[in-house]
Amino acid sequence: MEEKLKLIWENFEKRVSDIQNVKDLNDLKSDILGKKSELNALLKAIGQASKEDRPKFGQMINEQRQKIQKKIADVQNELETRALNKKLKEETIDITLPGHKVNLGHSHVLSQTLSDVENIFISMGFQVVNGPEIETDYYNFEALNIPKDHPARDTQDTFYINDNLLLRTQTSPMQIHVMENQKPPIRIIAPGRVYRSDTVDATHSPIFHQVEGLVIDKNITMGNLKWTLQEFAKKLYGENTKIRLRPHHFQFTEPSCEIDVTCFKCQGKGCPMCKDEGFIEILGAGMVHPNVLRNCNIDPEVYSGFAFGLGLERLAMFKFNIDDMRLFYKNDTRFLSQF
C-alpha cells in the first residue's frame, strides 16, 4: 500500500509541475482524485485487507488525498494570481491621458423664461397651478363669458375633438377651475401649452405656451393690476422698464387693456422694432367680468379681480432678441447652446 501511494504522489508531482493553466489543473485533479483514479481504487480495496490493517490503510489514503488537494489548491491560487497580473498589465489605463469631452445639457430657453416668470410671481405671493390641456366647451368658452356665436368658437381657430371636447385655446379655463374650488382671496398663475389652428411662421405656431394670471379679492382695482404688471416688467426686463396700458376688448374682462413695455432695443427712443413708438406689446389684461364671477358663484358686488395672459414665446423672443419662434422647436444645438 505504501509503495502504491508513493508512486501515485510521484506521478502527481511530475504532472503538476508542467501545469500552465487552470483547465489542465482541473483535468489532473479529475485523474488523481476522480472516481476512476488509482487513489479511489485503493480506497475501495481496503475492504480486502485485514481488520487490523484497515484503519491504518484508510488513514494513509486520506492523508495522501489531503496532501494532493492542498497542492492543487496552492497551484490553482498561483495560476489565478499569475493570470490576474497578466491581465492587469495588458489592460493598464494611462490616467494621464485626456478624457473624452462630455457635452452637458441645460434647461431649454423657454424653460428658463418660464422659471423666471414663475419666480417673479411667486415672490409677489402668487401660487402656480396647472390643469388639463383637453378642456370642455364650458370651461374654455361658456364660463369665460364667450357665447356660442362668438368668433373665437370658429372651428378654424380651435382644434375640436367632438362637440364638447377641444384642445384648450388658452390657459384661462384655469381661472374657472380655481374659482370653483377655492374661495377668495385668490392669487394664481397658470402656465401651460395651448393650441390654435394657426399657420406656422416666424410669429405663429399651432402649439405655444401661455401664462394666465388671476387675482380675486375685495377692493381689487385697475391700480392693483397696473402695479403688479409694472413690478413684473421691471424684474423681467430691468428696473428702467416702463409699461403702458391701451384700451382693448376681451370677452372675459371689463374693462380690458393691452400692456406694452419699453422697447428693449431702443430703450423707448423709437426704432424699427417698435415702429418708432418706443413701446412693444407683451400681454393682455383687464378686470374680471362680473359674469365670469357669477358663473363661479362669486358675488361681483363683494369681490372683484383682475386677470392677464402672456405668451411665453413672445417674452423669450423679446428678452433674448430672437426674431423667429420656430427656432425654439427645431432642436438645433447651435441655437439652444447660446442660452
Side-chain angles (χ1 to χ4, degrees), residues 77-180:
N77 288 335
E78 182 182 348
L79 290 173
E80 290 176 349
T81 300
R82 191 187 309 165
L84 178 60
N85 290 335
K86 181 182 178 182
K87 186 176 182 180
L88 290 173
K89 185 177 181 180
E90 292 175 348
E91 298 181 3
T92 298
I93 299 174
D94 185 353
I95 61 174
T96 64
L97 291 174
H100 297 291
K101 182 180 179 181
V102 178
N103 293 319
L104 298 177
H106 62 276
S107 296
H108 191 277
V109 58
L110 290 179
S111 298
Q112 295 178 38
T113 305
L114 176 59
S115 179
D116 290 341
V117 171
E118 289 180 343
N119 289 335
I120 291 171
F121 282 111
I122 288 173
S123 71
M124 291 193 283
F126 283 72
Q127 178 186 1
V128 180
V129 298
N130 294 286
E133 295 179 11
I134 296 178
E135 278 289 3
T136 64
D137 181 89
Y138 173 77
Y139 283 103
N140 197 79
F141 292 126
E142 289 186 34
L144 290 166
N145 199 39
I146 304 176
K148 292 287 186 182
D149 57 354
H150 194 274
R153 288 172 168 270
D154 192 327
T155 56
Q156 298 302 312
D157 298 327
T158 306
F159 291 107
Y160 285 91
I161 298 173
N162 55 39
D163 290 342
N164 187 49
L165 294 178
L166 50 89
L167 296 180
R168 66 182 181 185
T169 60
Q170 53 204 356
T171 52
S172 301
M174 284 307 301
Q175 290 187 33
I176 309 303
H177 287 294
V178 172
M179 286 192 287
E180 283 183 344

Side-chain angles (χ1 to χ4, degrees), residues 274-311:
C274 62
K275 300 179 181 177
D276 292 322
E277 291 187 5
F279 286 88
I280 296 176
E281 176 198 342
I282 62 165
L283 59 90
M287 301 301 293
V288 178
H289 199 291
N291 289 344
V292 175
L293 294 175
R294 292 190 188 96
N295 290 336
C296 300
N297 295 318
I298 295 176
D299 188 351
E301 299 297 326
V302 178
Y303 293 100
S304 59
F306 63 80
F308 57 87
L310 54 89

Side-chain angles (χ1 to χ4, degrees), residues 23-88:
K23 180 181 180 303
D24 292 342
L25 183 64
N26 289 334
D27 291 341
L28 174 60
K29 181 179 179 180
S30 178
D31 293 343
I32 298 297
L33 302 176
K35 293 181 178 181
K36 297 180 180 181
S37 66
E38 292 183 56
L39 197 63
N40 197 53
L42 288 178
L43 191 61
K44 292 180 180 179
I46 290 179
Q48 301 174 5
S50 64
K51 290 185 179 180
E52 294 79 8
D53 291 335
R54 287 176 189 173
K56 178 183 176 182
F57 290 160
Q59 182 179 357
M60 292 172 60
I61 293 171
N62 284 331
E63 289 177 351
Q64 181 79 298
R65 176 184 292 277
Q66 292 173 3
K67 187 177 179 182
I68 291 173
Q69 288 175 334
K70 183 178 184 305
K71 180 66 175 179
I72 288 174
D74 292 342
V75 173
Q76 183 169 346
N77 288 335
E78 182 182 348
L79 290 173
E80 290 176 349
T81 300
R82 191 187 309 165
L84 178 60
N85 290 335
K86 181 182 178 182
K87 186 176 182 180
L88 290 173

